Amino acid sequence: MKAYHFLKEDMRSGYGNEPPWVVGEERSVEGKIELRLWGYHSSPTLLDALGYASGPVACLVEVSEPVEKYGSLQVSRTRKLLKAVHVGKEMNQLIADWAFETLAKEWKKGQDIPRGIGICLLPWPLRSYRPCGNAGSDWLQARFNKLVTPKL
């Protein structure tokens, strides 16, 4: 089944000591597959995968039937890398747009916006951006789909 995952800039997963992935490569693991501990993790949508991203490389993958699921996270025994695209620039644009949209909404409500507020685009890992990834708004979904999803 098709799914999504993010890799670090060096094409390695966020955890473990595996060598860098190569597009077209398939890997399997032995032993007991366990969510967040052992196996190849993925998500059903790219936006869902963002919440677990360890880097700026968005990946379209094919995974074996998930052994375990929790919310939008799933773990499988086998994963094949079908396509990988560096989307760091697009993610920074998304974060800036999201912050601007959030501030604009507060301003329209007549809320005071603190002086000197700034947007700091932190380096990877993407966990720094988790509030954006988990925002779940229709606006965020639409903007994400426009900026990032077409790359895959």
Side-chain angles (χ1 to χ4, degrees):
M1 70 186 276
K2 297 269 194 314
Y4 298 90
H5 179 69
F6 278 82
L7 294 172
K8 296 189 295 187
E9 287 195 65
D10 65 2
M11 296 295 287
R12 293 177 190 267
S13 295
Y15 304 99
N17 58 357
E18 286 190 324
W21 281 83
V22 176
V23 173
E25 181 179 17
E26 181 175 298
R27 296 183 188 174
S28 296
V29 294
E30 298 297 322
K32 183 180 179 192
I33 305 300
E34 200 168 340
L35 197 65
R36 299 182 190 215
L37 292 176
W38 186 247
Y40 290 113
H41 293 77
S42 63
S43 294
T45 71
L46 190 56
L47 186 59
D48 287 336
L50 177 62
Y52 307 101
S54 60
V57 180
C59 302
L60 174 62
V61 297
E62 187 171 73
V63 296
S64 57
E65 185 66 31
V67 173
E68 193 176 350
K69 294 180 182 182
Y70 179 78
S72 62
L73 184 64
Q74 56 195 22
V75 64
S76 302
R77 182 168 302 282
T78 301
R79 182 169 68 202
K80 181 177 182 177
L81 180 58
L82 301 176
K83 188 171 182 180
V85 179
H86 191 291
V87 294
K89 180 180 174 184
E90 292 82 357
M91 292 309 307
N92 283 340
Q93 182 65 53
L94 177 68
I95 302 307
D97 291 351
W98 177 75
F100 179 81
E101 181 74 11
T102 301
L103 291 174
K105 282 182 184 176
E106 292 304 309
W107 181 75
K108 284 179 186 174
K109 290 183 199 173
Q111 301 293 321
D112 288 334
I113 297 174
R115 290 179 186 220
I117 192 163
I119 301 166
C120 179
L121 300 180
L122 302 172
W124 297 92
L126 194 61
R127 277 183 187 71
S128 305
Y129 300 135
R130 189 171 293 278
C132 179
N134 291 341
S137 71
D138 291 338
W139 180 90
L140 179 64
Q141 177 77 49
R143 188 73 175 141
F144 185 85
N145 287 340
K146 181 178 179 184
L147 284 174
V148 180
T149 304
K151 303 286 183 184
L152 285 176

